[in-house]
C-alpha cells in the first residue's frame, strides 16, 4: 500500500453521495454485465435461437407447400420457426436469473450488496428488473435476427408489411416470456440460495412439470391436472405465441395474468425469505 | 460512535451474542478482542444489518444501519469472510459498489491506488491471494470515505508492509475524529494500534477499558533485581504484600513493590545494584488471563 498517503482524499464527500433507486439499478447492471457467465449465456441463447429457427424453417418449407400459401400464412410459419427455440432457451434464461443471485451467495458478494443497499426489497426489485430487461432486449434482438434466415428459407419477406402483427406479436410475447423465465429462475435463487438447487427447481417448473401435465388426459376425472398444467409458465407462454384460437391454449389476457402471477409469487416468496433470513 | 444496547443473537439454541452493551467512541481506535466463536463477527454483522438481532439494538451515530440514506459514506466495513464475487475484476467490483451511491469513478481509482492493488485491479478477484483480497476488501470499505470503520481481522494475510499501513491508516483515521472498531487476534499488533479494548468471551463483554488500564489490572508488574548483596536487600524490602523469588544467585524477582522504592531502599543502605528492571505484562498476558475461562475451542497444551 502506498507509503503513508493516508491523507484520505475527501472527493467522495463533495459529490452528492447517497443511495437512489436509479443508482442501485445501475450497480446491478454493472454487476450483471461484468460476469463472463452472463455473456456466455447470451451467446448460447443467440446461437441456439438462430440455429434452431433456421432448421425449423427448413423443415417447415419441406413439409408445407409454400408456393401456394398466402403471405399471411407464410408469415405465420416464420413466426413459429422464430419462436420454436424458446423450448430450450427458456432454461438458459432461468439459469441466468438463478445464477445472478446464487453466484452472490456462493461467493459472499451478497454481503457487499446488502451493506451497500441495506433495504433488501430494493435489491430484490432492481435485480429482477435488470435481469428481466436484459433477457427481454437480448431475446428481441435474437428473434429479429432469426427472422432473416427463417423468412429467406420459407420464401417471404421477414415481416409482412400488410400485417406486421403476425410476426411482431409472437416475437414480443416470446421476449416477454423469456424475461418471465429469468425472473422465475432469480426467485428460485433467492428462495434456495444454492446454484444447483435453484437451477434444478427452475428446470422442474419450466420443463418437467409441463411434461407431467401432458401425461394426464384432458377429459375425465383426472382432467383437472391437464387443465391446471395450462397455467404453468411454459404453457402460458406458449398460449401467447401460438396462432390465435389454437386448441388447448389460454386466451392472451388469461395467459398474461398467469405469467404475472408466477412473477408475483416468485418475487413475494423471495421477499419473504430475503427480509427475514440473515445474509 | 457505535452504541450497542442489550444486543443478543441466538442461532437455534446456541447464543452467539448474549445481552451485549458497549459504546465505541469516535476519535479512538477500539480493539475488539475475543477467542474464536466469542461473537465478534456476529456483532459486527449485526451493526451493518446483515444479521438481525434476536433482541436489543445497535446504532451508528444514532441511526440504525438499514435506515441510512448513504450507508457507504457513514460506515466502511470489512467482514471476516470474503464478500467479493470471484468472477468479477477488482475494479468492476468497486465500480458496482460505488455506483449504488453515485460515488465517482475517480474515487474508485483513488482507493485502488491507496490500497496498492493497481497492478491487479483488472484481474478477477477469484485469482487474488489472501493479502490482495484483503486489500480489495479494505478498498471497498474506504469507497465512501466513511466516518466509521468496522474492520474484522484487517491484517489477516497481509505482508508486514500492509500490516504497518493498516496500523498507520486507522491511527490517522481516529486522529481525524473517525470511529474505528477493529478486531484482530494479533495481540502485539493490537497493542500498538488500539487506544481502547472491548473483550468478548462466550458472547458476553468481559472487559471494556482503555488498553493500558486493561493491561495494568490484568497483569502483574515484576521487578528484576540483581545485586551482589541480594540476600541482604531481600530482607530489607520484605513485607506482607511483597513476594520475592530467587531466579539465580544474586538475581531476584520482586512482585508488589515499585522499582523506585527498591532503588531508594538500596541507596539508603548503600547496597550496590547491578540491575533494576521493571517489567509490565503484555496485552497478550492480560488477554489470556481475562479469557482463560471463556475460550471455546481450547488447544491442547504442549508438554
Amino acid at each position: 500500500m502506498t507509503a503513508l498517503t493516508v491523507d484520505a482524499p475527501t472527493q467522495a464527500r463533495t459529490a452528492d453521495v447517497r443511495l437512489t433507486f436509479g443508482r442501485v439499478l445501475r450497480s446491478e447492471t454493472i454487476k450483471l454485465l461484468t460476469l463472463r457467465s452472463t455473456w456466455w449465456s447470451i451467446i448460447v441463447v443467440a446461437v441456439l435461437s438462430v440455429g434452431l429457427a433456421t432448421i425449423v424453417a427448413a423443415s417447415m418449407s419441406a413439409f408445407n407447400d409454400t408456393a401456394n400459401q398466402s403471405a399471411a400464412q407464410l408469415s405465420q410459419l416464420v413466426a413459429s420457426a422464430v419462436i420454436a427455440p424458446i423450448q430450450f432457451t427458456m432454461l438458459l434464461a432461468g439459469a441466468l436469473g438463478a445464477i445472478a443471485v446464487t453466484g452472490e451467495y456462493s461467493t459472499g458478494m451478497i454481503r457487499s450488496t446488502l451493506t451497500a443497499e441495506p433495504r433488501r426489497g430494493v435489491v430484490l426489485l432492481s435485480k429482477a428488473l435488470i435481469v428481466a430487461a436484459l433477457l427481454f432486449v437480448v431475446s428481441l434482438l435474437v428473434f429479429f435476427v432469426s427472422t432473416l434466415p427463417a423468412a429467406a428459407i420459407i420464401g417471404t419477406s421477414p415481416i409482412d408489411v400488410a400485417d406486421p402483427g403476425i410476426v411482431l406479436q409472437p416475437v414480443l410475447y416470446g421476449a416477454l416470456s423469456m424475461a418471465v423465465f429469468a425472473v422465475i429462475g432469480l426467485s428460485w435463487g433467492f428462495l434456495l440460495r444454492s446454484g444447483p438447487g435453484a437451477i434444478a427447481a427452475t428446470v422442474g417448473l419450466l420443463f418437467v412439470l409441463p411434461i407431467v401435465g401432458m401425461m394426464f388426459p384432458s377429459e375425465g376425472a383426472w382432467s383437472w391436472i391437464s387443465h391446471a398444467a395450462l397455467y404453468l409458465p411454459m404453457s402460458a407462454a406458449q398460449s401467447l405465441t401460438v396462432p390465435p384460437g389454437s386448441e388447448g391454449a389460454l386466451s392472451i389476457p388469461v395467459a398474461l395474468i398467469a405469467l404475472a402471477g408466477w412473477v408475483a409469487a416468485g418475487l413475494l416468496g423471495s421477499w419473504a425469505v430475503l427480509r427475514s433470513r440473515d445474509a | 460512535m457505535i452504541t450497542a444496547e442489550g444486543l443478543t443473537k441466538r442461532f437455534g439454541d446456541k447464543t452467539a451474542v448474549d445481552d451485549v452493551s458497549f459504546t465505541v467512541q469516535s476519535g479512538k481506535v477500539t480493539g475488539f478482542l475475543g477467542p474464536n466463536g466469542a461473537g465478534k463477527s456476529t456483532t459486527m454483522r449485526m451493526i451493518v444489518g446483515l444479521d438481525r438481532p434476536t433482541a436489543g439494538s445497535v446504532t451508528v451515530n444514532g441511526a440504525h444501519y438499514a435506515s441510512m440514506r448513504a450507508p457507504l459514506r457513514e460506515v466502511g466495513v470489512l467482514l471476516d469472510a470474503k464478500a467479493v464475487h470471484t468472477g468479477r475484476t477488482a475494479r468492476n467490483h468497486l465500480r458496482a459498489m460505488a455506483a449504488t451511491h453515485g460515488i465517482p469513478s475517480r474515487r474508485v481509482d483513488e482507493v485502488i491506488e491507496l490500497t496498492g492493488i493497481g497492478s491487479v485491479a483488472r484481474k478477477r478477484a477469484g485469482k487474488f491471494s489472501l493479502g490482495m483480497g484483503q486489500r480489495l476488501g479494505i478498498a471497498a470499505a474506504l469507497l465512501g470515505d466513511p466516518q466509521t470503520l468496522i474492520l474484522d481481522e484487517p491484517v489477516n494475510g497481509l505482508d508486514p508492509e500492509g500490516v504497518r499501513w493498516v496500523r498507520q491508516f486507522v491511527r490517522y483515521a481516529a486522529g481525524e475524529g473517525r470511529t474505528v472498531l477493529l478486531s484482530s487476534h494479533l495481540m502485539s499488533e493490537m497493542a500498538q494500534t488500539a487506544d481502547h479494548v472491548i473483550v468478548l468471551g462466550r458472547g458476553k463483554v468481559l472487559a471494556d477499558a482503555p488498553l493500558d488500564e486493561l493491561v495494568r489490572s490484568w497483569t502483574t508488574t515484576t521487578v528484576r533485581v540483581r545485586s551482589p548483596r541480594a540476600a541482604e536487600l531481600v530482607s530489607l524490602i520484605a513485607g506482607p504484600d511483597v513476594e520475592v523469588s530467587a531466579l539465580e544467585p544474586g538475581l531476584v524477582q520482586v512482585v508488589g513493590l515499585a522499582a523506585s522504592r527498591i532503588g531508594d531502599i538500596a541507596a539508603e543502605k548503600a547496597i550496590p545494584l547491578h540491575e533494576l528492571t521493571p517489567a509490565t505484562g503484555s496485552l497478550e498476558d492480560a488477554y489470556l488471563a481475562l479469557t482463560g475461562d471463556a475460550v471455546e475451542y481450547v488447544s491442547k497444551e504442549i508438554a
Side-chain angles (χ1 to χ4, degrees):
Chain A
M1 308 196 181
T2 7
L4 242 195
T5 45
V6 282
D7 49 334
T10 49
Q11 291 193 344
R13 305 219 141 253
T14 58
D16 169 36
V17 169
R18 65 188 168 84
L19 287 166
T20 66
F21 187 63
R23 286 168 174 175
V24 177
L25 281 180
R26 201 175 117 68
S27 171
E28 289 299 331
T29 311
I30 293 174
K31 284 201 282 188
L32 195 57
L33 297 185
T34 52
L35 286 181
R36 289 186 190 178
S37 57
T38 304
W39 293 101
W40 280 115
S41 304
I42 290 174
I43 289 169
V44 175
V45 165
V47 169
L48 266 183
S49 298
V50 178
L52 284 175
T54 308
I55 294 168
V56 170
S59 78
M60 280 175 170
S61 75
F63 237 77
N64 292 277
D65 181 12
T66 51
N68 292 323
Q69 290 190 333
S70 68
Q73 284 171 313
L74 291 177
S75 287
Q76 199 85 70
L77 289 181
V78 171
S80 304
V82 165
I83 296 306
I86 291 183
Q87 302 237 25
F88 303 99
T89 53
M90 67 176 180
L91 297 179
L92 285 157
L96 195 152
I99 289 169
V101 177
T102 61
E104 293 214 6
Y105 277 102
S106 64
T107 58
M109 178 68 200
I110 191 72
R111 290 189 281 267
S112 292
T113 301
L114 294 180
T115 44
E117 171 50 283
R119 290 170 307 173
R120 299 185 175 185
V122 173
V123 170
L124 169 65
L125 201 58
S126 47
K127 250 193 196 328
L129 273 173
I130 294 304
V131 165
L134 178 76
L135 261 298
F136 183 79
V137 170
V138 164
S139 304
L140 214 50
L141 286 174
V142 165
F143 291 150
F144 279 125
V145 171
S146 301
T147 56
L148 300 176
I153 290 166
I154 289 170
T156 181
S157 60
I159 289 176
D160 184 357
V161 275
D163 190 356
I166 295 176
V167 174
L168 281 181
Q169 190 177 318
V171 159
L172 275 174
Y173 282 142
L176 181 74
S177 302
M178 289 289 276
V180 169
F181 300 147
V183 172
I184 288 171
L186 173 131
S187 301
W188 281 120
F190 275 113
L191 287 168
L192 301 178
R193 295 189 174 189
S194 121
I199 290 175
T202 306
V203 171
L205 179 59
L206 295 184
F207 197 76
V208 178
L209 283 185
I211 295 174
V212 172
M214 280 191 285
M215 290 173 174
F216 291 88
S218 56
E219 316 247 332
W222 292 85
S223 64
W224 63 272
I225 295 180
S226 105
H227 287 305
L230 285 178
Y231 296 88
L232 286 169
M234 180 55 196
S235 315
Q238 262 170 343
S239 299
L240 288 176
T241 51
V242 292
S246 297
E247 206 182 321
L250 302 173
S251 73
I252 292 215
V254 172
L256 285 174
I257 290 169
L259 288 182
W262 284 105
V263 168
L267 292 182
L268 283 174
S270 300
W271 165 232
V273 168
L274 186 63
R275 71 187 297 256
S276 58
R277 278 179 69 180
D278 291 336
Chain B
M1 196 167 84
I2 304 170
T3 313
E5 282 164 359
L7 203 56
T8 302
K9 180 68 184 178
R10 283 190 207 97
F11 298 106
D13 55 0
K14 184 168 164 44
T15 304
V17 177
D18 190 1
D19 193 20
V20 161
S21 299
F22 59 80
T23 302
V24 180
Q25 282 165 354
S26 57
K28 282 181 187 169
V29 176
T30 300
F32 207 28
L33 306 180
N36 292 325
K40 303 183 301 289
S41 296
T42 305
T43 302
M44 286 175 158
R45 289 160 54 82
M46 284 193 283
I47 298 174
V48 295
L50 289 175
D51 283 3
R52 182 192 292 257
T54 310
S57 75
V58 59
T59 56
V60 181
N61 297 327
H64 285 103
Y65 191 85
S67 70
M68 291 177 184
R69 300 304 304 124
L72 291 187
R73 196 165 78 173
E74 305 268 344
V75 182
V77 62
L78 169 77
L79 293 166
D80 189 16
K82 281 243 166 83
V84 177
H85 198 298
T86 46
R88 203 173 280 125
T89 69
R91 189 164 192 283
N92 281 333
H93 170 72
L94 295 172
R95 275 179 62 219
M97 296 282 289
T100 58
H101 282 57
I103 294 169
S105 63
R106 61 172 188 278
R107 177 62 184 166
V108 170
D109 294 326
E110 243 169 44
V111 296
I112 286 173
E113 178 79 12
L114 199 61
T115 52
I117 54 172
S119 60
V120 292
R122 285 169 202 281
K123 279 195 187 147
R124 290 193 285 159
K127 311 254 182 222
F128 277 26
S129 66
L130 181 59
M132 278 299 168
Q134 205 69 357
R135 285 167 188 251
L136 174 57
I138 295 170
L142 299 181
L143 264 180
D145 194 16
Q147 196 53 42
T148 301
L149 281 167
I150 297 172
L151 307 173
D152 200 359
E153 301 278 350
V155 301
N156 186 16
L158 283 188
D159 52 21
E161 187 261 330
V163 171
R164 192 171 72 172
W165 184 88
V166 168
R167 184 201 314 144
Q168 291 172 333
F169 185 85
V170 298
R171 296 260 13 121
Y172 182 87
E176 283 188 317
R178 296 176 205 238
T179 308
V180 182
L181 180 62
L182 180 81
S183 84
S184 177
H185 288 300
L186 298 178
M187 290 301 145
S188 55
E189 187 52 39
M190 192 59 96
Q192 291 184 68
T193 313
D195 304 299
H196 194 95
V197 190
I198 296 172
V199 185
L200 285 191
R202 290 187 192 271
K204 289 180 178 298
V205 176
L206 300 179
D208 181 350
L211 183 105
D212 44 0
E213 191 180 296
L214 181 96
V215 172
R216 235 183 300 121
S217 48
W218 282 89
T219 60
T220 43
T221 304
T222 59
V223 184
R224 278 160 64 95
V225 184
R226 195 187 292 273
S227 168
R229 290 158 62 191
E232 199 180 326
L233 183 60
V234 165
S235 65
L236 286 169
I237 61 174
D241 300 328
V242 182
E243 201 179 297
V244 180
S245 45
L247 299 177
E248 54 184 78
L251 178 65
V252 294
Q253 180 172 288
V254 181
V255 176
L257 199 61
S260 54
R261 191 76 198 100
I262 299 170
D264 288 349
I265 293 169
E268 263 171 41
K269 304 291 174 186
I271 295 170
L273 289 182
H274 294 174
E275 183 187 342
L276 184 65
T277 317
T280 37
S282 64
L283 175 61
E284 184 174 71
D285 297 331
Y287 170 83
L288 290 174
L290 194 53
T291 59
D293 296 331
V295 177
E296 185 142 2
Y297 307 101
V298 190
S299 335
K300 212 175 218 158
E301 202 73 50
I302 297 166

